[in-house]
Amino acid sequence: MKTALLSSRLATRSLKSSHGGNGHGPRHARRASCAPTAASVPHAFAWLKRPKHNLIAGRWVPAASGKVFDVFNPADASVLARVPDSDKEDIHRAVAAARRAFDAGPWRRMKPNERGKLLWRVGDLILEHADELAEIESLDNGKPRAVARVADVPLAADLFHYMAGWATKIEGHTIPISVPYAPDARFHAFTLREPVGVVGQIIPWNFPLLMAAWKLGPALTTGNCVVLKPAEQTPLTALRLGELLLEAGLPEGVVNIVTGFGETAGAALAAHDDVDKVAFTGSTEVGRLIVHAAAGNLKKVSLELGGKSPNIVFKDVGDLDAAIAGAANAIFFNHGQCCCAGSRLMVEKDVFDAVVAGVAAHAKKIKLGPGLDPGTQMGPLVSEEQFRRVTNYMHQGKQEGACYVTGGEKAGGRGYFVQPTVVKDVKPSMSIVREEIFGPVVVAEPFTKPEELISRANDTPYGLAAGVWTRDIAKAHRIAAELRAGTVWINCYNVFDAALPFGGYKQSGWGREMGHEVLEHYTETKAVVVGL
Ligand code: NAI
Ligand code: MG
């Protein structure tokens, strides 16, 4: 399909290419050593060796308790770094620093064009350090370095550049008012958009740098001060980004970065009484905990949560190969660790066998290996916990009677590798059909009656994304209108842009990330009335 998008093209190309073999190489992970060396990570090696601290009030400091925890390379379970194991006290200090910066610092009083220029510089610095950031991300998360280099890092830079432009465009309205009980009075009324204040941001591990950018960009362009808590599995690029923020000239205390676990540092941030708003991306289960924690001081909440997204292929798609490559990309991109992964493949019966066989053929060709290996097309899952979660689902599906066309097992190696998996003969009640697996596992179901399709596609507590593949443009639009999802991709999948709002219906979240929609979450509206 001519309109194939970058991610689809990349996925197709990488799934088709062969590196150092026949493209059908061993289905198990390579056992090459993944320990970072000056040769394997030339741009990041020196930084990785340096001690890691929290960023609080413009200074790098250890946890108040002095405790640290290990950060693992998921490709071989080796220890990459040690970072502060922060708790309530560190969160308290970071929130106090953000409050001081907000109340007394220059940030929210800075001229909007100065704030914009500073954020633009952050985007530039990310691009200047793109190789280094991609190396760190690949080691920490497991994703191929090449993917981090062409997707995660440039998208993060673009987000800062896009948000930099908004700094000068945060506008209110002038509002003609009538005031029925004051017939003779005249007024001049207008609104101001002001920053919310101190914002707590809790992010996940699937796109560590990019999620930090999605959160920080809109908060900063609107003049807020932030405490960011990266995921315990992948804190490293956030710490490197903290250094780049200081290099760009961000005043002290405007962004504070505190590493730690969800139950300790994360929970303390969500519950803190001096935090005005919390923004969270992660599991729906923790999303609920955040809502409860926020109730104490009624802080504002935005949530970007899980998904179980339908990807619908009609027989009139035209280019079936493009749809097959798109369906493979929809589930296997980032090892299926995407909240919007096309994990339910719904295919019109006449082409069901061909599409399932095609996606399975793509799955079989994917080369697993450490993210730093240039031949790798899919790295390990992010952690042992995630590895156990995904392999449990794989086994559960078998027990429930589903048919595994390919995959369904862990792959070899010391790291957290699993086989790209395609499943059919599923029932709507099965856990692998209903629950978010967050791994490279797609369940395929045929459909015959288009009138039943919508209710089946919407039969999920989630509502994050959906895909539709057809040449019939009227049908595509009708279906897009009926799907209860925050994003609908037609003849494409996994297309993201800083200008495009992203977020969920139903239990996939509250609010939107990116675009101008996100700015609503980071501003308060003040109505000002002048008696004339
Ligand atoms: P999680 O929701 O536990 O973790 C996400 C972030 O929340 C991390 O920074 C973590 O430290 C923090 N957190 C955890 N418990 C917290 C608490 N009680 N209070 C405040 N913050 C807390 O996700 P996890 O355990 O890493 O993955 C579990 C499942 O969540 C995955 O299998 C996947 O289904 C889903 N998930 C969805 C993501 C998305 O992009 N929507 C991203 C990551 C996970
Ligand atoms: Mg968790």
Side-chain angles (χ1 to χ4, degrees):
M1 191 153 292
K2 287 200 183 76
T3 51
L5 290 130
L6 172 71
S7 55
S8 302
R9 277 209 305 272
L10 276 171
T12 312
R13 194 170 61 214
S14 74
L15 294 178
K16 280 182 180 162
S17 66
S18 68
H19 298 272
N22 58 8
H24 300 262
R27 293 298 317 283
H28 53 77
R30 289 153 203 215
R31 284 159 200 273
S33 167
C34 316
T37 63
S40 66
V41 281
H43 303 92
F45 188 69
W47 184 83
L48 284 164
K49 291 275 160 220
R50 294 215 304 266
K52 307 285 176 281
H53 297 310
N54 288 330
L55 175 61
I56 297 180
R59 280 188 300 281
W60 294 96
V61 292
S65 67
K67 285 192 207 156
V68 292
F69 67 91
D70 291 335
V71 179
F72 295 99
N73 177 348
D76 65 358
S78 63
V79 175
L80 269 179
R82 292 196 169 83
V83 299
D85 182 359
S86 312
D87 59 23
K88 210 171 175 178
E89 176 57 27
D90 306 289
I91 290 293
H92 189 67
R93 291 179 189 185
V95 170
R99 175 59 61 193
R100 279 196 305 278
F102 185 75
D103 287 347
W107 187 239
R108 73 187 159 109
R109 296 176 187 85
M110 190 181 277
K111 282 190 179 173
N113 68 341
E114 293 300 328
R115 210 163 50 225
K117 276 189 244 173
L118 204 148
L119 292 180
W120 188 273
R121 175 90 185 113
V122 175
D124 285 351
L125 282 170
I126 290 173
L127 291 179
E128 282 170 30
H129 293 85
D131 291 323
E132 180 189 356
L133 289 163
E135 286 174 1
I136 301 170
E137 202 73 312
S138 174
L139 274 174
D140 202 6
N141 165 279
K143 65 180 69 194
R145 167 175 32 194
V147 172
R149 182 65 184 77
V150 297
D152 301 56
V153 176
L155 282 168
D158 198 48
L159 195 288
F160 276 102
H161 286 151
Y162 171 84
M163 287 297 166
W166 273 112
T168 49
K169 299 164 194 72
I170 308 297
E171 298 169 347
H173 301 287
T174 55
I175 302 174
I177 57 175
S178 306
V179 198
Y181 56 80
D184 300 324
R186 292 180 62 204
F187 301 98
H188 171 53
F190 61 95
T191 55
L192 295 171
R193 301 274 298 281
E194 297 181 347
V196 170
V198 172
V199 178
Q201 302 187 317
I202 301 171
I203 56 171
W205 43 260
N206 50 345
F207 296 90
L209 176 70
L210 186 58
M211 291 301 101
W214 279 23
K215 291 280 184 281
L216 290 172
L220 295 177
T221 202
T222 44
N224 295 278
C225 294
V226 178
V227 177
L228 177 77
K229 195 207 78 68
E232 53 271 38
Q233 297 84 351
T234 57
L236 298 182
T237 43
L239 295 178
R240 185 69 186 99
L241 178 62
E243 294 177 352
L244 298 180
L245 290 168
L246 296 182
E247 193 178 330
L250 203 73
E252 69 174 49
V254 173
V255 171
N256 305 273
I257 302 174
V258 180
T259 58
F261 290 89
E263 297 75 6
T264 49
L269 184 55
H272 201 289
D273 275 346
D274 205 25
V275 171
D276 299 299
K277 174 200 160 54
V278 63
F280 170 76
T281 297
S283 62
T284 295
E285 180 194 354
V286 173
R288 285 199 185 87
L289 295 177
I290 302 277
V291 171
H292 285 292
N297 71 338
L298 288 173
K299 59 174 68 65
K300 282 141 183 83
V301 179
S302 53
L303 305 169
E304 203 259 275
L305 307 175
K308 192 75 184 176
S309 299
N311 189 23
I312 303 165
V313 181
F314 284 95
K315 66 181 178 192
D316 63 3
V317 64
D319 186 346
L320 200 60
D321 287 342
I324 288 167
N329 161 51
I331 184 62
F332 298 133
F333 176 62
N334 212 42
H335 325 168
Q337 301 170 134
C338 296
C339 47
C340 55
S343 52
R344 285 189 300 145
L345 179 58
M346 306 181 73
V347 187
E348 197 160 10
K349 198 165 189 309
D350 310 48
V351 291
F352 181 77
D353 289 342
V355 170
V356 169
V359 174
H362 275 284
K364 284 180 191 158
K365 284 185 201 149
I366 294 173
K367 284 209 154 187
L368 302 179
L372 289 184
D373 186 329
T376 292
Q377 295 163 332
M378 185 183 283
L381 298 180
V382 74
S383 65
E384 190 180 1
E385 185 189 10
Q386 200 59 21
F387 172 80
R388 266 191 270 111
R389 190 176 281 143
V390 171
T391 48
N392 275 344
Y393 273 117
M394 287 170 162
H395 297 151
Q396 227 169 308
K398 286 178 196 167
Q399 279 169 359
E400 289 174 335
C403 167
Y404 282 62
V405 185
T406 187
E409 293 292 335
K410 65 179 183 175
R414 285 184 57 218
Y416 311 124
F417 295 92
V418 296
Q419 297 175 338
T421 298
V422 180
V423 188
K424 65 175 185 178
D425 297 347
V426 293
K427 296 199 184 71
S429 57
M430 289 179 180
S431 59
I432 53 169
V433 175
R434 298 212 67 76
E435 295 169 27
E436 181 175 55
I437 299 176
F438 228 64
V441 182
V442 64
V443 295
E445 311 167 43
F447 67 87
T448 40
K449 297 182 186 150
E451 60 277 15
E452 282 173 13
L453 173 68
I454 294 296
S455 58
R456 276 177 57 190
N458 285 334
D459 180 19
T460 162
Y462 297 114
L464 196 57
V468 183
W469 299 79
T470 174
R471 302 296 277 185
D472 181 342
I473 196 70
K475 180 165 72 183
H477 280 291
R478 265 196 322 272
I479 289 174
E482 295 293 328
L483 288 167
R484 304 271 299 152
T487 297
V488 179
W489 287 297
I490 298 173
N491 296 331
C492 59
Y493 209 94
N494 280 338
V495 180
F496 305 97
D497 192 272
L500 203 58
F502 182 84
Y505 283 43
K506 299 195 274 183
Q507 292 182 35
S508 288
W510 291 353
R512 294 293 177 269
E513 309 271 353
M514 303 195 287
H516 56 78
E517 316 262 347
V518 69
L519 304 172
E520 301 289 333
H521 305 306
Y522 289 97
T523 50
E524 295 277 18
T525 300
K526 179 180 282 176
V528 182
V529 182
V530 186
L532 300 177

